[in-house]
Amino acid sequence: MSFLRWMSPVLALLSIGVTGCPGNSSSSEPKPAPSPEVSVSLPGVDTSSLTPRERREWAAQVSELLSPCPDTPVSIAQCVKEQRSCKACLPAAQLLLDQVKDGRSKKEREDAFHMRFDANKVKTLVTDGSPDMGPPDAPITIVEWADFECPFCRLMAPLLEELVKRFDGQVRLVFKFYPLSAHVHGEPAARAATAALNQGKFWEMHHLLFENQDKLEQADLERYAQRLKLDMVKFRADLVSTDTKARIDKDKLQADGVGLEGTPLVFINGREVNLQLLTNPAEDLEAWVKLDLELLGKTPRPAPPKPADAPASGSAIPAASATPAASATPAAGTSTPAGSAARPATSPAPAQPAQPRTP
């Protein structure tokens, strides 16, 4: 099912009306004292496009921040210069360079670094029993909490499926429910998806719900179930069953435990992706997964060749977190495959969704 017919206009609204211009968040901060003159040249990092001020800021930060590897207690700059064994040092230096280019404040750059590389940021997330797509033993596991009435979740859906397709056999996508109280149709839609899951048609229902996000009344949900040729007696019973409510509540409790503030909430190998710190979500997330595979000693699947007549990649579209939950009370601890990897954004819908798998 294609998302192309609604993707472009909504992405335009997202980029214009929600996130604003990159780098403006620092405007209200006190003017920092000029950074001390630090000259840093690292092999593999091209700083030629930076202004003198940007070069000073980047040099100071790679000289202050410690390498991402606990067993390499030196600065990022020293780690790269001396070719230490920490494979994440060069990517960390490049990430900070990109953040400087984007006009991020010092705090934003540090937040992006810790989001991406801090070992203490990795959480273990329980995924057993959740609908998933991709091989269960994939080295990369993406976990998403979403609300079927959330417009940003609608944008995220094709992007995440595209990652499963792009890295065929190397990425597993896990879906978890978090209907927000502010969305009156979120809970019924989640129940319909759960009822479809019970009959092996979760991803088919998932696509229909997002494609028809403005049509989520009871009659609409039953029509989608009929289109999928579900057993309607069982479907209607599952819509109102206590087991269905318990499954959804379990996902919400886990999300509250990891600090969900809005949807979509995305983790890659146990590391939360802060969408606000991404510049071009489609490209940034692909690069994130690619780097994680390399850090795990895996060879990423090569990118498919682009058609000769394909248009150039669109302009960067800043990611945005979706509507915040009415209340996100920290709850029970959580758990998923631990690993390294960051929050979403936008991308063309996959021509053919990866083969879904349901428990």
Side-chain angles (χ1 to χ4, degrees):
M1 301 180 184
S2 173
F3 292 83
L4 293 177
R5 68 172 182 266
W6 50 260
M7 178 66 72
S8 297
V10 181
L11 294 187
L13 289 175
L14 174 61
S15 62
I16 295 171
V18 177
T19 60
C21 299
N24 287 350
S25 60
S26 63
S27 60
S28 61
E29 296 181 1
K31 293 287 185 181
S35 300
E37 191 68 42
V38 180
S39 178
V40 174
S41 177
L42 302 181
V45 183
D46 181 7
T47 63
S48 61
S49 64
L50 300 182
T51 66
R53 175 188 60 78
E54 291 172 337
R55 193 172 292 112
R56 288 195 302 270
E57 291 180 357
W58 173 80
Q61 209 149 25
V62 295
S63 300
E64 294 169 0
L65 290 172
L66 292 180
S67 83
C69 301
D71 59 352
T72 310
V74 298
S75 70
I76 295 171
Q78 184 178 344
C79 177
V80 175
K81 283 182 178 179
E82 298 177 357
Q83 298 184 341
R84 298 291 188 102
S85 59
C86 181
K87 296 180 181 178
C89 286
L90 182 58
Q94 185 62 54
L95 177 143
L96 291 169
L97 178 72
D98 294 338
Q99 292 286 307
V100 168
K101 286 181 179 179
D102 291 340
R104 305 284 188 174
S105 68
K106 181 178 180 180
K107 182 180 185 306
E108 287 174 325
R109 298 194 300 266
E110 289 180 357
D111 287 347
F113 167 75
H114 290 298
M115 169 190 74
R116 188 63 183 88
F117 295 108
D118 189 342
N120 294 324
K121 296 291 186 180
V122 178
K123 301 180 185 298
T124 303
L125 306 175
V126 174
T127 60
D128 294 348
S130 294
D132 63 356
M133 176 184 293
D137 59 348
I140 303 296
T141 294
I142 301 174
V143 179
E144 178 201 22
W145 275 271
D147 172 353
F148 287 109
E149 201 174 9
C150 165
F152 303 106
C153 297
R154 186 184 188 188
L155 296 176
M156 180 56 51
L159 172 59
L160 297 182
E161 289 189 34
E162 177 63 20
L163 289 175
V164 177
K165 178 185 176 184
R166 160 68 181 84
F167 297 96
D168 184 30
Q170 297 181 312
V171 173
R172 173 187 178 223
L173 171 62
V174 178
F175 183 93
K176 289 183 175 289
F177 301 97
Y178 203 103
L180 300 169
S181 59
H183 293 156
V184 296
H185 300 101
E187 177 87 16
R191 286 174 171 270
T194 303
L197 170 64
N198 294 342
Q199 297 190 46
K201 293 290 184 72
F202 170 78
W203 291 104
E204 293 86 344
M205 180 63 80
H206 171 282
H207 295 157
L208 283 172
L209 294 172
F210 276 131
E211 278 196 319
N212 301 278
Q213 196 172 61
D214 57 341
K215 298 176 181 178
L216 297 177
E217 300 293 343
Q218 176 71 23
D220 299 317
L221 301 179
E222 293 201 8
R223 187 170 68 255
Y224 305 147
Q226 292 170 343
R227 187 184 305 181
L228 297 177
K229 301 184 179 345
L230 300 184
D231 179 331
M232 294 306 296
V233 173
K234 177 173 174 53
F235 177 79
R236 292 187 181 104
D238 287 344
L239 274 179
V240 296
S241 75
T242 56
D243 287 345
T244 295
K245 184 179 186 304
R247 173 186 280 274
I248 296 171
D249 288 346
K250 181 180 178 181
D251 283 356
K252 292 178 67 176
L253 186 66
Q254 186 182 16
D256 290 341
V258 296
L260 180 145
E261 296 180 352
T263 58
L265 174 63
V266 177
F267 283 78
I268 300 179
N269 273 13
R271 189 181 291 278
E272 183 180 352
V273 181
N274 184 339
L275 303 180
Q276 300 293 341
L277 296 178
L278 302 183
T279 301
N280 184 319
E283 293 181 3
D284 292 349
L285 287 178
E286 180 178 349
W288 185 306
V289 171
K290 183 175 181 289
L291 176 59
D292 269 14
L293 287 167
E294 292 170 347
L295 293 177
L296 291 170
K298 308 291 183 181
T299 301
R301 295 275 186 269
K306 293 183 179 179
D309 59 348
S313 176
S315 57
I317 302 173
S321 67
T323 309
S327 62
T329 306
T334 55
S335 36
T336 270
S340 59
R343 226 159 177 127
T346 60
S347 157
Q352 291 181 326
Q355 183 61 38
R357 210 175 57 81
T358 52

